[in-house]
Amino acid sequence: MKLFRIIKNGVRDAFKSVYRNFSLSFASISSISFTLVIVALALLVAFNVENFSKKAGDNVTIVTYLTLGTTEEQAKEFEKTLKDMDNVQNKWTSQTPEERKNALATEDDFLSSVATLIDKPEEVFHYRYDINVKDIDKIDETQQDLKSLDVVESAEYGDETITKMISMFDMAGKVAIAIALVLMVVTVVLIVNTIKLTIFSRKREISIMRVVGASNLTIKNPFIIEGFIIGLFGSIVPVLVTIFGYAAFYEHLDNGHFMTFWLEFINPYPFVYWVSLMIVGLGVLVGMFGSSRAVRRYLKV
Amino acid sequence: MAELITLSNVNKKYKNGVTAIYDLDLKIKKGEFVFIIGGSGSGKSTLIKMLYREEKPTSGEINVGGINVAKLRNSRVYKLRRKLGIVFQDYRLLPQSTVYENVAFALESIGAKSSDIRIKTLRALELVGLKGKIRNYPDQLSGGEQQRVAIARAIVNDPKLILCDEPTGNLDPKMSLEIVKVLEEINKTTGTTVIMATHDKDIVNKFKKRVIAIKQGRIFKDYEEGKYDNEAI
């Protein structure tokens, strides 16, 4: 009950103070809004890049042929090596020479007649493995690792433009995050100054509170709540931009498909709500962090 | 009677190199009324400030009501402050708040229940004789009345100890007398220990309480039922 009363008084004081120092509060809110819009963009890009990479990992296969005349034991050995490779998904498909011969036999008449001519498939067919990677960014390394094995004849994957595009998106996401971080620092500084002004106008009150035995928490409380309110108000515009902006963008792209069938943007619902939640959380945290920094100095005796 | 305050080997050296208190030992019992006298810069204010942990001693031990004040962490200072009431020379009231609000503020700040706040606030204001002025603002009151509001605020949470740092410094002799009478009354009726730093000769001589004279950071004289000693200054 006591905590509830303290919080209730804190909320009352915080709203009063936002209203009283409206111009500086407004500056803080605008700054937080601007920052969070950039953060929202960074998040949307980052999540989509993540999604592309995952989808691409499933769609881009490294087709690996083992050298001709590989024995069954050697193939088993190779599979063990595959299992130990970090970036390889544990669900490759494989064809033994025998299986490839049989597959050939199910083709048209000509090919199936060719298949019947083959006595020893291991002398004609290579073992074939279709391998998917976990992280498409590292597909080059995985390819090199495979090629370096003695038993491997060749290891190739298709479309290089895909991986290039993904790393481009990835870069864009990272740049956005870097910009957002810098802006975040600016925002914290602005909030610290806003709260300092509030503290200044209530200096007497704080000193009396200290004298009569208010705990640090009680004294801090209204300022932290003020930071919370600034953060909350500051996240309104970014959330609207996220929800409506992303949905409109998605519609515009013909339901999320872009250039190739698998380069697909994340469906806006409920994705945008999650991103919005993160934005609000971040705004509120930045606000509270800024204000607790500002008030800390005044709590030392 | 048990000791409420014990100081042993207390030294205080400020960061600028000034030593305010030298190797001070002092005991004050529960229910005592003590005047601390001394000239400007004698260290009496420093002594009072160390008792409510506004200043920390450089070395030595200070115990107030069972709390080891010298070792008290910043975040725990409020525990000490809730056991005492402090009265300043400049009253330190909130100008935008009424008399009632000023006193109630002390209880609100420590999260008291609103029903308790009302009862205790009115009782404290009655004790200092200001029940008829609860809706006035500080600037509508005389200096003596403002100081009485500050005293009401100091006693509203039933402290064991009231510390007064030159409470009559801004008041004329008549009002000063009034204020010390109020403090004496509180001391007598509730048994609250009162420590008052002052350099008001007439007051000290009139009330015949324990007097501790401080000179250059040391206890110069300590008499029961003392009077203002000009040598001390």
Side-chain angles (χ1 to χ4, degrees), chain A:
Chain A
M1 274 319 282
K2 193 167 157 184
L3 189 70
F4 177 73
R5 275 198 299 277
I6 290 173
I7 290 173
K8 197 184 77 186
N9 288 347
V11 170
R12 182 196 63 198
D13 291 348
F15 269 103
K16 250 193 231 166
S17 158
V18 169
Y19 178 75
R20 211 184 290 153
N21 305 320
F22 185 73
S23 55
L24 205 56
S25 299
F26 185 74
S28 291
I29 290 170
S30 316
S31 161
I32 254 196
S33 290
F34 186 66
T35 307
L36 289 179
V37 167
I38 307 284
V39 173
L41 287 177
L43 283 176
L44 292 172
V45 170
F47 280 118
N48 275 299
V49 167
E50 178 83 26
N51 190 46
F52 292 161
S53 302
K54 214 172 127 245
K55 284 255 165 79
D58 291 342
N59 283 291
V60 179
T61 25
I62 305 179
V63 179
T64 309
Y65 291 104
L66 304 187
T67 49
L68 213 53
T70 304
T71 62
E72 216 177 311
E73 284 83 55
Q74 283 173 318
K76 285 257 160 65
E77 197 64 32
F78 173 70
E79 283 177 23
K80 256 188 207 162
T81 320
L82 272 187
K83 243 178 220 165
D84 289 343
M85 292 175 79
D86 285 340
N87 198 29
V88 169
Q89 290 190 20
N90 224 342
K91 49 159 199 172
W92 62 78
T93 56
S94 64
Q95 281 180 309
T96 63
E98 189 65 40
E99 283 167 342
R100 291 189 63 196
K101 183 193 151 186
N102 295 341
L104 196 65
T106 62
E107 299 285 332
D108 59 42
D109 286 347
F110 172 71
L111 287 175
S112 58
S113 61
V114 170
T116 54
L117 293 174
I118 299 169
D119 261 354
K120 291 180 176 166
E122 66 274 11
E123 285 174 4
V124 180
F125 293 110
H126 301 255
Y127 274 90
R128 174 184 167 146
Y129 287 86
D130 290 4
I131 298 165
N132 291 338
V133 293
K134 288 176 189 160
D135 183 355
I136 193 91
D137 277 347
K138 293 183 185 150
I139 195 165
D140 267 341
E141 288 167 39
T142 309
Q143 185 196 15
Q144 292 310 319
D145 287 348
L146 286 169
K147 276 184 172 173
S148 70
L149 297 169
D150 288 338
V151 75
V152 173
E153 172 91 29
S154 71
E156 301 296 338
Y157 63 91
D159 221 348
E160 268 191 44
T161 51
I162 288 164
T163 56
K164 277 194 183 134
M165 203 149 66
I166 285 171
S167 58
M168 209 175 70
F169 275 123
D170 198 33
M171 185 56 80
K174 278 175 184 154
V175 168
I177 285 172
I179 294 173
L181 280 177
V182 172
L183 284 173
M184 207 101 86
V185 173
V186 175
T187 309
V188 167
V189 170
L190 247 156
I191 289 173
V192 166
N193 282 319
T194 311
I195 303 291
K196 265 188 190 160
L197 199 79
T198 316
I199 292 171
F200 188 75
S201 67
R202 295 185 54 194
K203 227 172 173 175
R204 195 178 182 84
E205 217 174 309
I206 291 174
S207 79
I208 294 170
M209 282 174 97
R210 288 204 60 88
V211 162
V212 299
S215 64
N216 283 356
L217 184 74
T218 316
I219 298 173
K220 258 187 183 178
N221 187 37
F223 302 108
I224 305 283
I225 293 174
E226 190 175 340
F228 180 91
I229 292 170
I230 288 174
L232 197 67
F233 283 1
S235 53
I236 292 174
V237 171
V239 163
L240 294 179
V241 167
T242 305
I243 292 177
F244 295 108
Y246 186 75
F249 171 76
Y250 189 82
E251 294 278 311
H252 179 74
L253 278 186
D254 190 19
N255 281 330
H257 288 288
F258 181 60
M259 294 173 70
T260 65
F261 72 100
W262 55 263
L263 198 54
E264 188 185 335
F265 281 82
I266 300 168
N267 195 307
Y269 308 102
F271 175 57
V272 287
Y273 298 126
W274 286 114
V275 174
S276 301
L277 210 64
M278 285 180 208
I279 292 299
V280 173
L282 206 64
V284 161
L285 277 180
V286 167
M288 285 162 78
F289 173 74
S291 59
S292 77
R293 286 217 40 130
V295 81
R296 207 172 48 175
R297 204 157 70 85
Y298 291 87
L299 292 177
K300 286 178 188 153
V301 185

Side-chain angles (χ1 to χ4, degrees), chain A residues 2 6 208-219 299 301, chain B residues 52-53 67 72-84 86 109-111 157:
Chain A
K2 193 167 157 184
I6 290 173
I208 294 170
M209 282 174 97
R210 288 204 60 88
V211 162
V212 299
S215 64
N216 283 356
L217 184 74
T218 316
I219 298 173
L299 292 177
V301 185
Chain B
Y52 66 89
R53 186 39 180 76
I67 295 177
L72 197 62
R73 292 212 309 271
N74 279 345
S75 57
R76 305 241 165 228
V77 168
Y78 73 94
K79 296 202 166 173
L80 170 71
R81 302 268 170 95
R82 285 180 190 189
K83 292 191 174 187
L84 32 99
I86 309 166
S109 298
I110 60 172
N157 197 29

Side-chain angles (χ1 to χ4, degrees), chain B residues 164-189:
Chain B
C164 311
D165 196 355
E166 308 255 10
T168 61
N170 286 357
L171 304 175
D172 63 35
K174 193 171 152 261
M175 280 182 179
S176 299
L177 195 65
E178 211 179 273
I179 288 300
V180 184
K181 272 184 180 164
V182 169
L183 289 171
E184 193 191 26
E185 182 69 19
I186 292 162
N187 171 252
K188 273 185 185 160
T189 55

